[in-house]
Coordinates of all heavy atoms in Angstrom, one line a residue:
M1 N 15.4 -33.3 14.3 CA 14.8 -33.6 13.1 C 14.1 -32.3 12.6 O 13.5 -31.6 13.3 CB 13.7 -34.7 13.3 CG 13.5 -35.5 12.1 SD 12.2 -36.8 12.4 CE 13.3 -38.2 12.4
N2 N 14.2 -32.0 11.3 CA 13.6 -30.8 10.7 C 12.2 -31.1 10.4 O 11.8 -32.1 9.9 CB 14.3 -30.5 9.3 CG 15.7 -30.0 9.6 OD1 16.0 -29.5 10.7 ND2 16.6 -30.1 8.6
K3 N 11.4 -30.0 10.6 CA 10.0 -30.1 10.3 C 9.8 -30.1 8.8 O 10.4 -29.3 8.1 CB 9.2 -28.9 11.0 CG 7.7 -29.0 10.8 CD 7.1 -27.9 11.4 CE 5.6 -27.9 11.2 NZ 4.9 -26.8 11.8
N4 N 9.0 -31.0 8.3 CA 8.8 -31.0 6.8 C 7.8 -29.9 6.4 O 6.6 -30.0 6.7 CB 8.2 -32.4 6.4 CG 8.1 -32.5 4.9 OD1 8.3 -31.6 4.2 ND2 7.9 -33.8 4.5
R5 N 8.3 -28.8 5.8 CA 7.5 -27.7 5.5 C 6.5 -28.0 4.3 O 5.6 -27.2 4.1 CB 8.4 -26.5 5.1 CG 9.1 -26.0 6.3 CD 9.9 -24.7 6.0 NE 10.5 -24.2 7.1 CZ 10.1 -23.2 7.9 NH1 8.9 -22.7 7.7 NH2 10.8 -22.8 9.0
S6 N 6.8 -29.0 3.5 CA 5.9 -29.3 2.4 C 4.5 -29.7 2.9 O 3.6 -29.7 2.2 CB 6.5 -30.4 1.5 OG 6.6 -31.6 2.1
S7 N 4.4 -30.1 4.2 CA 3.1 -30.6 4.7 C 2.3 -29.3 5.2 O 1.1 -29.5 5.5 CB 3.3 -31.5 5.8 OG 4.0 -30.9 6.9
E8 N 2.9 -28.2 5.2 CA 2.2 -27.0 5.7 C 1.3 -26.4 4.5 O 1.8 -26.3 3.4 CB 3.1 -25.9 6.1 CG 3.9 -26.2 7.3 CD 4.9 -25.2 7.7 OE1 4.9 -24.1 7.1 OE2 5.7 -25.4 8.6
K9 N 0.1 -26.1 4.8 CA -0.8 -25.5 3.8 C -0.6 -24.0 3.8 O -0.7 -23.3 4.9 CB -2.2 -25.8 4.1 CG -3.2 -25.4 3.1 CD -4.6 -25.8 3.3 CE -5.5 -25.3 2.2 NZ -6.9 -25.7 2.4
I10 N -0.3 -23.4 2.6 CA -0.1 -22.0 2.5 C -1.3 -21.5 1.7 O -1.6 -22.0 0.7 CB 1.2 -21.7 1.8 CG1 2.4 -22.2 2.6 CG2 1.3 -20.2 1.5 CD1 3.7 -22.1 2.0
R11 N -1.9 -20.4 2.2 CA -2.9 -19.7 1.5 C -2.7 -18.2 1.5 O -1.9 -17.7 2.4 CB -4.3 -20.0 2.1 CG -4.6 -19.5 3.4 CD -6.0 -19.8 3.9 NE -6.3 -19.1 5.1 CZ -6.7 -17.8 5.2 NH1 -6.8 -17.1 4.1 NH2 -6.9 -17.3 6.4
E12 N -3.3 -17.5 0.6 CA -3.1 -16.1 0.5 C -4.2 -15.4 1.2 O -5.4 -15.7 1.0 CB -2.9 -15.6 -0.9 CG -1.7 -16.1 -1.6 CD -1.5 -15.5 -3.0 OE1 -2.3 -14.8 -3.4 OE2 -0.4 -15.8 -3.5
K13 N -3.9 -14.4 2.0 CA -4.9 -13.5 2.6 C -5.5 -12.5 1.6 O -4.8 -12.2 0.6 CB -4.3 -12.7 3.8 CG -3.8 -13.5 4.9 CD -3.3 -12.6 6.0 CE -2.8 -13.4 7.2 NZ -2.3 -12.5 8.3
K14 N -6.7 -12.1 1.8 CA -7.3 -11.1 0.9 C -6.4 -9.8 0.8 O -6.3 -9.2 -0.2 CB -8.7 -10.7 1.4 CG -9.7 -11.8 1.1 CD -11.1 -11.4 1.6 CE -12.0 -12.6 1.4 NZ -13.4 -12.3 1.8
S15 N -5.8 -9.4 1.9 CA -4.9 -8.2 1.9 C -3.8 -8.4 0.9 O -3.4 -7.4 0.3 CB -4.4 -7.9 3.3 OG -3.6 -9.0 3.8
R16 N -3.2 -9.6 0.8 CA -2.2 -9.8 -0.2 C -2.7 -9.6 -1.6 O -2.1 -8.9 -2.5 CB -1.6 -11.2 -0.1 CG -0.5 -11.5 -1.1 CD 0.0 -12.9 -0.9 NE 0.8 -13.4 -2.0 CZ 2.1 -13.2 -2.2 NH1 2.8 -12.5 -1.3 NH2 2.7 -13.7 -3.3
S17 N -3.9 -10.1 -1.9 CA -4.6 -9.9 -3.2 C -4.8 -8.4 -3.5 O -4.7 -7.9 -4.6 CB -5.8 -10.7 -3.3 OG -5.6 -12.1 -3.3
I18 N -5.2 -7.7 -2.4 CA -5.5 -6.2 -2.6 C -4.2 -5.5 -2.9 O -4.2 -4.7 -3.8 CB -6.1 -5.7 -1.3 CG1 -7.6 -6.2 -1.2 CG2 -6.1 -4.1 -1.3 CD1 -8.2 -5.9 0.2
V19 N -3.1 -5.8 -2.2 CA -1.8 -5.1 -2.5 C -1.3 -5.5 -3.9 O -0.8 -4.6 -4.6 CB -0.8 -5.4 -1.4 CG1 0.6 -4.9 -1.8 CG2 -1.2 -4.8 -0.1
K20 N -1.4 -6.7 -4.3 CA -1.0 -7.2 -5.6 C -1.9 -6.4 -6.7 O -1.4 -6.0 -7.7 CB -1.2 -8.7 -5.8 CG -0.1 -9.5 -5.1 CD -0.4 -10.9 -5.1 CE -0.4 -11.6 -6.4 NZ -0.7 -13.0 -6.4
T21 N -3.2 -6.3 -6.4 CA -4.1 -5.6 -7.3 C -3.7 -4.2 -7.5 O -3.6 -3.7 -8.7 CB -5.5 -5.7 -6.8 OG1 -5.9 -7.0 -6.7 CG2 -6.5 -4.9 -7.7
I22 N -3.4 -3.5 -6.4 CA -3.0 -2.1 -6.5 C -1.7 -1.9 -7.2 O -1.6 -1.0 -8.1 CB -3.0 -1.4 -5.1 CG1 -4.4 -1.4 -4.6 CG2 -2.4 0.0 -5.1 CD1 -4.5 -1.0 -3.1
S23 N -0.7 -2.7 -6.9 CA 0.6 -2.5 -7.5 C 0.5 -2.8 -9.0 O 1.1 -2.1 -9.8 CB 1.7 -3.4 -6.8 OG 1.4 -4.8 -7.0
W24 N -0.2 -3.9 -9.4 CA -0.3 -4.3 -10.8 C -1.1 -3.2 -11.6 O -0.7 -2.8 -12.7 CB -0.9 -5.6 -11.0 CG -1.1 -5.9 -12.4 CD1 -2.3 -6.1 -13.1 CD2 -0.1 -6.1 -13.4 NE1 -2.1 -6.4 -14.4 CE2 -0.7 -6.4 -14.7 CE3 1.3 -6.0 -13.4 CZ2 -0.1 -6.5 -15.9 CZ3 2.0 -6.2 -14.6 CH2 1.3 -6.5 -15.8
R25 N -2.2 -2.7 -11.0 CA -2.9 -1.7 -11.7 C -2.2 -0.3 -11.8 O -2.4 0.4 -12.8 CB -4.3 -1.4 -11.0 CG -5.3 -2.4 -11.4 CD -5.4 -2.9 -12.8 NE -5.3 -1.9 -13.8 CZ -4.8 -2.1 -15.0 NH1 -4.3 -3.3 -15.4 NH2 -4.8 -1.2 -15.9
T26 N -1.4 0.0 -10.9 CA -0.5 1.2 -11.0 C 0.4 1.1 -12.3 O 0.4 2.0 -13.1 CB 0.3 1.4 -9.7 OG1 -0.5 1.5 -8.6 CG2 1.2 2.6 -9.9
I27 N 1.0 0.0 -12.4 CA 1.8 -0.3 -13.6 C 1.0 -0.2 -14.9 O 1.3 0.5 -15.9 CB 2.6 -1.6 -13.5 CG1 3.6 -1.5 -12.4 CG2 3.3 -1.9 -14.8 CD1 4.2 -2.9 -12.0
G28 N -0.1 -0.9 -14.8 CA -1.0 -1.0 -16.0 C -1.6 0.4 -16.4 O -1.8 0.7 -17.6
T29 N -2.0 1.2 -15.4 CA -2.6 2.5 -15.6 C -1.6 3.4 -16.2 O -1.9 4.2 -17.2 CB -3.2 3.1 -14.4 OG1 -4.2 2.1 -13.9 CG2 -3.8 4.4 -14.6
I30 N -0.3 3.4 -15.7 CA 0.7 4.3 -16.3 C 0.9 3.9 -17.8 O 1.0 4.8 -18.7 CB 2.0 4.1 -15.5 CG1 1.9 4.8 -14.1 CG2 3.2 4.7 -16.3 CD1 3.0 4.4 -13.2
D31 N 0.9 2.6 -18.1 CA 1.0 2.1 -19.5 C -0.1 2.6 -20.3 O 0.0 3.1 -21.4 CB 1.1 0.6 -19.5 CG 1.2 0.0 -20.9 OD1 2.1 0.3 -21.6 OD2 0.2 -0.7 -21.2
T32 N -1.4 2.5 -19.8 CA -2.6 3.0 -20.5 C -2.5 4.5 -20.8 O -2.8 4.9 -21.9 CB -3.8 2.6 -19.7 OG1 -3.9 1.2 -19.6 CG2 -5.1 3.2 -20.4
I33 N -2.1 5.3 -19.8 CA -2.0 6.7 -20.0 C -1.0 7.1 -21.0 O -1.3 7.9 -21.9 CB -1.6 7.4 -18.6 CG1 -2.8 7.3 -17.7 CG2 -1.2 8.9 -18.8 CD1 -2.5 7.7 -16.3
I34 N 0.2 6.4 -21.0 CA 1.2 6.7 -22.0 C 0.7 6.3 -23.4 O 0.9 7.1 -24.4 CB 2.5 6.0 -21.7 CG1 3.2 6.6 -20.4 CG2 3.5 6.0 -22.8 CD1 4.3 5.8 -19.8
I35 N 0.2 5.1 -23.6 CA -0.3 4.7 -24.9 C -1.5 5.6 -25.3 O -1.5 6.1 -26.5 CB -0.8 3.2 -24.8 CG1 0.4 2.3 -24.6 CG2 -1.6 2.9 -26.1 CD1 0.0 0.9 -24.3
S36 N -2.4 6.0 -24.4 CA -3.5 6.9 -24.8 C -2.9 8.3 -25.2 O -3.4 8.9 -26.2 CB -4.5 7.1 -23.6 OG -5.1 5.8 -23.3
W37 N -2.0 8.8 -24.5 CA -1.4 10.0 -24.9 C -0.7 10.0 -26.3 O -0.9 10.9 -27.1 CB -0.3 10.4 -23.8 CG 0.3 11.8 -23.9 CD1 -0.1 12.8 -24.7 CD2 1.5 12.2 -23.3 NE1 0.7 13.9 -24.5 CE2 1.7 13.5 -23.7 CE3 2.4 11.6 -22.4 CZ2 2.8 14.3 -23.2 CZ3 3.5 12.3 -21.9 CH2 3.7 13.6 -22.3
I38 N 0.0 8.9 -26.5 CA 0.6 8.8 -27.9 C -0.5 8.7 -29.0 O -0.3 9.4 -30.0 CB 1.5 7.5 -27.9 CG1 2.7 7.7 -27.0 CG2 1.9 7.2 -29.3 CD1 3.5 6.4 -26.7
I39 N -1.5 8.0 -28.7 CA -2.6 7.8 -29.7 C -3.4 9.1 -29.9 O -3.6 9.5 -31.1 CB -3.5 6.6 -29.4 CG1 -2.6 5.3 -29.6 CG2 -4.7 6.6 -30.3 CD1 -3.4 4.1 -29.1
V40 N -3.9 9.7 -28.8 CA -4.8 10.8 -28.9 C -4.1 12.2 -28.9 O -4.6 13.2 -29.3 CB -5.9 10.8 -27.9 CG1 -6.8 9.6 -28.1 CG2 -5.4 10.9 -26.5
G41 N -2.9 12.2 -28.4 CA -2.1 13.4 -28.4 C -2.5 14.4 -27.3 O -2.1 15.6 -27.4
N42 N -3.4 14.0 -26.4 CA -3.9 15.0 -25.4 C -3.7 14.3 -24.0 O -4.4 13.3 -23.7 CB -5.4 15.2 -25.7 CG -6.1 16.2 -24.7 OD1 -5.7 16.2 -23.5 ND2 -7.0 17.0 -25.2
V43 N -2.9 14.9 -23.2 CA -2.5 14.3 -21.9 C -3.7 14.3 -21.0 O -3.9 13.3 -20.2 CB -1.3 15.0 -21.3 CG1 -1.6 16.3 -20.6 CG2 -0.6 14.1 -20.3
N44 N -4.6 15.3 -21.0 CA -5.8 15.3 -20.1 C -6.7 14.2 -20.5 O -7.2 13.5 -19.5 CB -6.5 16.7 -20.2 CG -5.7 17.8 -19.6 OD1 -4.9 17.6 -18.7 ND2 -5.9 19.0 -20.1
F45 N -6.9 14.0 -21.7 CA -7.8 12.9 -22.1 C -7.2 11.5 -21.8 O -7.9 10.6 -21.3 CB -8.1 13.0 -23.6 CG -9.2 12.1 -24.1 CD1 -10.5 12.1 -23.5 CD2 -8.9 11.2 -25.1 CE1 -11.5 11.3 -24.0 CE2 -10.0 10.3 -25.6 CZ -11.2 10.4 -25.0
A46 N -5.9 11.4 -21.9 CA -5.1 10.2 -21.6 C -5.2 9.9 -20.1 O -5.4 8.7 -19.7 CB -3.7 10.3 -22.0
V47 N -5.1 10.9 -19.3 CA -5.3 10.7 -17.8 C -6.7 10.3 -17.4 O -6.9 9.4 -16.6 CB -4.8 11.9 -17.0 CG1 -5.2 11.8 -15.6 CG2 -3.3 12.2 -17.2
T48 N -7.7 10.8 -18.2 CA -9.1 10.5 -17.9 C -9.3 9.0 -18.3 O -9.9 8.3 -17.5 CB -10.0 11.4 -18.8 OG1 -9.8 12.7 -18.4 CG2 -11.5 11.0 -18.5
I49 N -8.8 8.6 -19.4 CA -8.9 7.2 -19.8 C -8.2 6.3 -18.8 O -8.8 5.3 -18.3 CB -8.3 6.9 -21.2 CG1 -9.1 7.6 -22.3 CG2 -8.2 5.4 -21.5 CD1 -8.4 7.7 -23.6
G50 N -7.0 6.6 -18.3 CA -6.3 5.9 -17.3 C -7.0 5.8 -16.0 O -7.1 4.8 -15.3
G51 N -7.6 6.9 -15.6 CA -8.4 7.0 -14.3 C -9.6 6.1 -14.3 O -9.9 5.4 -13.3
V52 N -10.3 6.0 -15.4 CA -11.5 5.2 -15.5 C -11.1 3.7 -15.5 O -11.6 2.9 -14.7 CB -12.3 5.5 -16.8 CG1 -13.4 4.5 -17.0 CG2 -12.9 6.9 -16.7
E53 N -10.1 3.3 -16.3 CA -9.7 2.0 -16.4 C -9.0 1.5 -15.1 O -9.0 0.3 -14.8 CB -8.9 1.6 -17.6 CG -7.5 2.2 -17.7 CD -6.5 1.4 -17.0 OE1 -6.4 0.1 -17.3 OE2 -5.7 1.9 -16.3
L54 N -8.5 2.4 -14.3 CA -7.8 2.1 -13.1 C -8.8 1.3 -12.2 O -8.5 0.2 -11.7 CB -7.3 3.3 -12.4 CG -6.8 3.2 -11.0 CD1 -5.5 2.3 -10.9 CD2 -6.5 4.5 -10.3
F55 N -10.0 1.9 -12.0 CA -10.9 1.4 -11.0 C -11.6 0.1 -11.6 O -11.9 -0.8 -10.8 CB -11.9 2.4 -10.6 CG -11.2 3.5 -9.8 CD1 -11.0 4.8 -10.4 CD2 -10.8 3.3 -8.5 CE1 -10.3 5.8 -9.7 CE2 -10.1 4.3 -7.8 CZ -9.9 5.5 -8.4
T56 N -12.0 0.2 -12.8 CA -12.7 -1.0 -13.4 C -11.8 -2.2 -13.4 O -12.2 -3.3 -13.0 CB -13.3 -0.7 -14.8 OG1 -12.2 -0.3 -15.7 CG2 -14.3 0.4 -14.8
K57 N -10.6 -2.0 -13.9 CA -9.7 -3.2 -14.0 C -9.2 -3.7 -12.6 O -8.9 -4.8 -12.5 CB -8.5 -2.9 -14.9 CG -9.0 -2.8 -16.4 CD -7.8 -2.7 -17.3 CE -8.3 -2.6 -18.8 NZ -7.3 -2.3 -19.7
M58 N -9.1 -2.8 -11.6 CA -8.7 -3.2 -10.3 C -9.8 -4.1 -9.7 O -9.5 -5.2 -9.1 CB -8.6 -2.0 -9.4 CG -7.2 -1.9 -8.7 SD -7.0 -0.8 -7.3 CE -7.3 0.8 -8.1
A59 N -11.0 -3.8 -9.9 CA -12.1 -4.6 -9.4 C -12.1 -6.0 -10.1 O -12.2 -7.0 -9.5 CB -13.5 -3.9 -9.5
L60 N -12.0 -5.9 -11.4 CA -12.0 -7.2 -12.2 C -10.8 -8.1 -11.8 O -10.9 -9.3 -11.7 CB -11.9 -6.9 -13.7 CG -13.2 -6.3 -14.2 CD1 -13.0 -5.8 -15.7 CD2 -14.4 -7.3 -14.2
Y61 N -9.6 -7.5 -11.6 CA -8.4 -8.2 -11.3 C -8.6 -8.9 -9.9 O -8.3 -10.1 -9.7 CB -7.2 -7.4 -11.3 CG -5.9 -8.1 -10.8 CD1 -5.2 -8.9 -11.7 CD2 -5.5 -8.1 -9.5 CE1 -4.1 -9.7 -11.4 CE2 -4.4 -8.9 -9.1 CZ -3.7 -9.6 -10.0 OH -2.6 -10.3 -9.6
F62 N -9.1 -8.1 -8.9 CA -9.3 -8.6 -7.6 C -10.2 -9.8 -7.6 O -9.9 -10.9 -7.0 CB -9.9 -7.6 -6.6 CG -10.1 -8.1 -5.2 CD1 -9.1 -8.2 -4.4 CD2 -11.4 -8.4 -4.8 CE1 -9.3 -8.7 -3.1 CE2 -11.6 -8.9 -3.6 CZ -10.6 -9.0 -2.7
L63 N -11.4 -9.7 -8.3 CA -12.3 -10.8 -8.4 C -11.7 -12.0 -9.1 O -11.9 -13.2 -8.7 CB -13.6 -10.4 -9.2 CG -14.4 -9.3 -8.4 CD1 -15.5 -8.8 -9.4 CD2 -15.0 -9.9 -7.1
H64 N -10.9 -11.8 -10.2 CA -10.2 -12.8 -10.9 C -9.2 -13.5 -10.0 O -9.1 -14.8 -9.9 CB -9.5 -12.2 -12.1 CG -8.7 -13.1 -12.9 ND1 -7.3 -13.3 -12.8 CD2 -9.1 -14.0 -13.9 CE1 -6.9 -14.2 -13.7 NE2 -7.9 -14.6 -14.4
E65 N -8.4 -12.8 -9.2 CA -7.4 -13.3 -8.3 C -8.1 -14.2 -7.2 O -7.6 -15.3 -7.0 CB -6.6 -12.2 -7.7 CG -5.6 -12.5 -6.6 CD -4.4 -13.1 -7.2 OE1 -4.1 -13.0 -8.4 OE2 -3.6 -13.6 -6.3
R66 N -9.1 -13.7 -6.7 CA -9.8 -14.5 -5.6 C -10.5 -15.7 -6.2 O -10.4 -16.8 -5.5 CB -10.9 -13.6 -4.9 CG -10.3 -12.4 -4.2 CD -9.2 -12.7 -3.3 NE -9.5 -13.6 -2.2 CZ -8.6 -14.2 -1.4 NH1 -7.3 -13.9 -1.5 NH2 -9.0 -15.0 -0.5
A67 N -11.0 -15.7 -7.4 CA -11.5 -16.9 -8.0 C -10.5 -17.9 -8.2 O -10.6 -19.1 -8.0 CB -12.2 -16.5 -9.3
W68 N -9.3 -17.5 -8.7 CA -8.2 -18.5 -8.9 C -7.7 -19.0 -7.6 O -7.2 -20.2 -7.5 CB -7.0 -17.8 -9.7 CG -7.2 -18.0 -11.2 CD1 -7.7 -17.0 -12.0 CD2 -7.0 -19.1 -11.9 NE1 -7.8 -17.5 -13.3 CE2 -7.3 -18.8 -13.3 CE3 -6.5 -20.4 -11.7 CZ2 -7.2 -19.7 -14.3 CZ3 -6.3 -21.3 -12.7 CH2 -6.7 -21.0 -14.0
N69 N -7.7 -18.3 -6.5 CA -7.3 -18.8 -5.2 C -8.2 -19.9 -4.7 O -7.8 -20.7 -4.0 CB -7.2 -17.6 -4.2 CG -5.9 -16.8 -4.3 OD1 -5.0 -17.3 -4.9 ND2 -6.0 -15.6 -3.7
K70 N -9.5 -19.9 -5.1 CA -10.4 -20.9 -4.7 C -10.3 -22.2 -5.6 O -10.7 -23.2 -5.2 CB -11.8 -20.4 -4.8 CG -12.1 -19.3 -3.8 CD -13.5 -18.8 -3.9 CE -13.8 -17.7 -3.0 NZ -14.3 -18.0 -1.7
S71 N -9.6 -22.0 -6.8 CA -9.5 -23.1 -7.7 C -8.2 -23.9 -7.4 O -7.2 -23.4 -7.1 CB -9.4 -22.6 -9.1 OG -9.1 -23.6 -10.1
N72 N -8.4 -25.3 -7.6 CA -7.2 -26.1 -7.4 C -6.5 -26.5 -8.7 O -5.6 -27.2 -8.8 CB -7.6 -27.4 -6.7 CG -7.8 -27.1 -5.2 OD1 -7.1 -26.3 -4.6 ND2 -8.8 -27.8 -4.6
F73 N -7.1 -25.9 -9.8 CA -6.5 -26.2 -11.2 C -5.1 -25.9 -11.2 O -4.6 -24.8 -10.8 CB -7.3 -25.3 -12.2 CG -6.7 -25.6 -13.6 CD1 -7.1 -26.7 -14.3 CD2 -5.9 -24.6 -14.2 CE1 -6.6 -26.9 -15.6 CE2 -5.4 -24.8 -15.4 CZ -5.7 -25.9 -16.2
G74 N -4.2 -26.8 -11.6 CA -2.8 -26.6 -11.8 C -2.0 -26.7 -10.5 O -0.8 -26.6 -10.6
R75 N -2.7 -27.0 -9.4 CA -1.9 -27.2 -8.2 C -1.6 -28.6 -7.9 O -2.4 -29.5 -8.3 CB -2.7 -26.6 -7.0 CG -2.9 -25.1 -7.0 CD -3.6 -24.7 -5.7 NE -3.7 -23.2 -5.7 CZ -4.5 -22.5 -5.0 NH1 -5.3 -23.1 -4.2 NH2 -4.5 -21.2 -5.1
V76 N -0.5 -28.9 -7.3 CA -0.1 -30.3 -7.1 C 0.0 -30.4 -5.5 O 0.7 -29.7 -4.9 CB 1.2 -30.7 -7.7 CG1 1.6 -32.1 -7.4 CG2 1.1 -30.5 -9.2
K77 N -0.7 -31.4 -5.0 CA -0.6 -31.6 -3.6 C 0.6 -32.5 -3.3 O 0.7 -33.6 -3.8 CB -1.9 -32.3 -3.1 CG -1.9 -32.5 -1.6 CD -3.3 -33.1 -1.2 CE -3.3 -33.3 0.3 NZ -4.6 -33.8 0.8
E78 N 1.5 -32.0 -2.5 CA 2.7 -32.8 -2.1 C 2.4 -33.6 -0.9 O 1.8 -33.2 0.1 CB 3.8 -31.8 -1.8 CG 4.3 -31.1 -3.0 CD 5.6 -30.2 -2.7 OE1 6.2 -30.4 -1.7 OE2 5.8 -29.4 -3.5
V79 N 2.7 -34.9 -1.1 CA 2.5 -35.8 0.0 C 3.8 -35.8 0.9 O 4.9 -36.1 0.4 CB 2.2 -37.2 -0.5 CG1 2.0 -38.2 0.6 CG2 1.0 -37.2 -1.4
P80 N 3.7 -35.6 2.2 CA 4.8 -35.6 3.1 C 5.5 -37.0 3.2 O 4.8 -38.0 3.1 CB 4.3 -35.1 4.4 CG 2.8 -35.2 4.4 CD 2.4 -35.3 2.9
V81 N 6.8 -37.0 3.2 CA 7.5 -38.3 3.3 C 7.4 -38.8 4.7 O 7.6 -38.1 5.7 CB 9.0 -38.1 3.0 CG1 9.8 -39.4 3.2 CG2 9.1 -37.5 1.6
E82 N 6.9 -40.0 4.9 CA 6.7 -40.6 6.2 C 7.9 -41.1 6.8 O 8.1 -41.2 8.1 CB 5.6 -41.7 6.1 CG 4.2 -41.1 5.8 CD 3.2 -42.2 5.8 OE1 3.4 -43.2 6.5 OE2 2.2 -42.0 5.1
Y83 N 8.9 -41.5 6.0 CA 10.1 -42.2 6.5 C 11.3 -41.8 5.7 O 11.2 -41.9 4.5 CB 9.9 -43.7 6.6 CG 11.1 -44.4 7.1 CD1 11.4 -44.5 8.5 CD2 12.0 -45.0 6.2 CE1 12.5 -45.1 8.9 CE2 13.1 -45.7 6.7 CZ 13.4 -45.7 8.1 OH 14.5 -46.4 8.6
E84 N 12.3 -41.3 6.3 CA 13.5 -41.0 5.6 C 14.7 -41.7 6.3 O 14.7 -41.9 7.5 CB 13.8 -39.5 5.7 CG 13.0 -38.7 4.6 CD 13.4 -37.3 4.6 OE1 14.6 -37.0 4.7 OE2 12.6 -36.4 4.5
I85 N 15.7 -42.1 5.5 CA 16.9 -42.7 6.1 C 18.0 -41.6 6.2 O 18.2 -40.8 5.3 CB 17.4 -43.8 5.2 CG1 16.3 -44.9 5.2 CG2 18.7 -44.4 5.7 CD1 16.7 -46.1 4.3

């Protein structure tokens, strides 16, 4: 008989949230630097803007991610099937 995997509780470790935070902010910071460079025309200023927002938005995203992990909003609890033919 196969073990019913829907009855297993899956949660995310903090390390997963940290890696997701870093990877997402890397993408976001590159975007911010490019946009800033286009708008201000100065690559040094654009990198400064990107560097500042990198750390502030990483902290905010991490806190946001952890708060959502504690919330059950939008989650559906699957009830394991007790009997199958």
Side-chain angles (χ1 to χ4, degrees):
M1 208 180 254
N2 291 338
K3 184 178 179 181
N4 187 350
R5 292 189 179 260
S6 66
S7 65
E8 294 177 7
K9 184 176 180 179
I10 298 173
R11 67 177 188 84
E12 292 187 356
K13 294 181 179 181
K14 287 182 182 178
S15 59
R16 178 179 165 88
S17 293
I18 290 169
V19 172
K20 286 171 63 179
T21 300
I22 292 168
S23 67
W24 176 244
R25 279 319 319 147
T26 300
I27 294 167
T29 299
I30 290 168
D31 179 58
T32 298
I33 291 170
I34 291 169
I35 292 169
S36 298
W37 185 15
I38 291 168
I39 291 172
V40 299
N42 182 323
V43 78
N44 290 331
F45 193 55
V47 170
T48 301
I49 292 169
V52 170
E53 69 88 45
L54 170 67
F55 295 105
T56 58
K57 288 186 180 174
M58 236 193 297
L60 291 170
Y61 178 84
F62 179 78
L63 295 172
H64 180 262
E65 175 77 9
R66 297 312 298 169
W68 271 100
N69 281 342
K70 291 179 187 268
S71 171
N72 287 324
F73 177 79
R75 291 185 178 160
V76 177
K77 185 176 181 178
E78 293 184 15
V79 179
V81 177
E82 292 184 25
Y83 179 78
E84 280 186 40
I85 298 179

